[in-house]
Amino acid sequence: MKRVYIICLFLAGFLGIAVYLYSYQYFVQDREEEQKSEVVQTSVALPETVDAVVQTEERITRDTLYYMETYRIDQNTTIRETKRMPAEVIGNNRKQFAEYLEKMMEEALFEEKKDGFLSVELIDFSKEAVVVRKSYKEPEKENEFYLDVQMGRVIVRNSLDDSLYAYTEIKFETLPENLKREILRGYPIENLEVLYEFLESYSS
């Protein structure tokens, strides 16, 4: 009888240990599954976060106002005009629009460059308004003529090709010393008006 009691007690203990081990293993597996599920959910949520960032980036729309400033450096004046937004930049972000302006700079018309066009820059960028500034500086005028000496008399040459434009009756030796030095270096004359004034001043 005593032996049967011991055997039953042993079997009960063994069964308890087996139940405990099975429960522990089930708990560990269940926890691992939960962690895997959390990782999957996190990885799925990331693209949504990226999309949200992309969607909040400022872009040009059809309602974006377009202001063009013309800045005259030599006069220190700025004129702002409202322009029509080019269709090809609708949807552009700041970087893309800056690249568009670089292309505009490269393709500046000859007439603009002749007018002293120097640069174009992006002053402000948002979905509400875009401000672009074109800078100009009056080009330096090239002198039309210059004075030279030939056979002891002052002559006038074209600056462009050094060809003879006119002879004068002005004797080189009668001129002031400082003017002589200037003429020997090629005294510049801006235009016909200045040339006539010089001839009137020094003709006998």
Side-chain angles (χ1 to χ4, degrees), residues 58-73:
E58 298 273 26
R59 290 182 179 273
I60 294 174
T61 69
R62 296 187 182 278
D63 297 323
T64 304
L65 297 175
Y66 184 26
Y67 298 109
M68 177 67 73
E69 293 184 349
T70 301
Y71 175 50
R72 295 282 177 181
I73 296 175

Side-chain angles (χ1 to χ4, degrees), residues 60 89 92-106 120-122 125 130 132:
I60 294 174
V89 302
N92 279 189
N93 57 25
R94 188 185 187 96
K95 181 181 178 182
Q96 292 168 332
F97 189 70
E99 291 172 352
Y100 167 80
L101 293 182
E102 287 180 12
K103 186 178 179 182
M104 180 192 294
M105 177 70 183
E106 294 173 359
V120 59
E121 58 184 319
L122 181 58
F125 183 93
V130 171
V132 175

Side-chain angles (χ1 to χ4, degrees), residues 29-165:
Q29 289 179 347
D30 187 59
R31 182 59 182 167
E32 287 178 352
E33 290 296 329
E34 288 181 1
Q35 289 177 347
K36 288 180 181 179
S37 176
E38 290 176 0
V39 171
V40 170
Q41 289 176 2
T42 303
S43 63
V44 171
L46 283 176
E48 295 178 1
T49 304
V50 173
D51 288 342
V53 172
V54 171
Q55 290 172 3
T56 58
E57 184 179 22
E58 298 273 26
R59 290 182 179 273
I60 294 174
T61 69
R62 296 187 182 278
D63 297 323
T64 304
L65 297 175
Y66 184 26
Y67 298 109
M68 177 67 73
E69 293 184 349
T70 301
Y71 175 50
R72 295 282 177 181
I73 296 175
D74 44 346
Q75 301 171 15
N76 195 27
T77 59
T78 302
I79 299 175
R80 175 180 283 195
E81 299 175 285
T82 303
K83 296 286 187 179
R84 191 173 193 176
M85 186 68 73
E88 62 264 35
V89 302
I90 301 296
N92 279 189
N93 57 25
R94 188 185 187 96
K95 181 181 178 182
Q96 292 168 332
F97 189 70
E99 291 172 352
Y100 167 80
L101 293 182
E102 287 180 12
K103 186 178 179 182
M104 180 192 294
M105 177 70 183
E106 294 173 359
E107 298 176 354
L109 298 177
F110 174 76
E111 288 300 322
E112 281 195 283
K113 292 181 179 178
K114 188 178 178 181
D115 193 33
F117 175 68
L118 293 178
S119 63
V120 59
E121 58 184 319
L122 181 58
I123 302 300
D124 192 21
F125 183 93
S126 69
K127 66 179 181 179
E128 286 78 26
V130 171
V131 182
V132 175
R133 177 181 294 169
K134 284 185 175 182
S135 297
Y136 294 80
K137 185 178 180 181
E138 191 71 25
E140 295 182 4
K141 295 180 179 178
E142 295 184 4
N143 298 309
E144 265 188 81
F145 311 100
Y146 71 92
L147 302 181
D148 199 0
V149 182
Q150 189 175 71
M151 303 295 288
R153 294 185 183 277
V154 176
I155 62 172
V156 183
R157 292 187 181 277
N158 286 301
S159 297
L160 185 61
D161 57 7
D162 293 331
S163 62
L164 178 66
Y165 178 77

Side-chain angles (χ1 to χ4, degrees), residues 162-177:
D162 293 331
S163 62
L164 178 66
Y165 178 77
Y167 289 101
T168 76
E169 295 300 319
I170 302 173
K171 294 181 179 180
F172 183 71
E173 61 182 15
T174 63
L175 298 174
E177 290 299 320

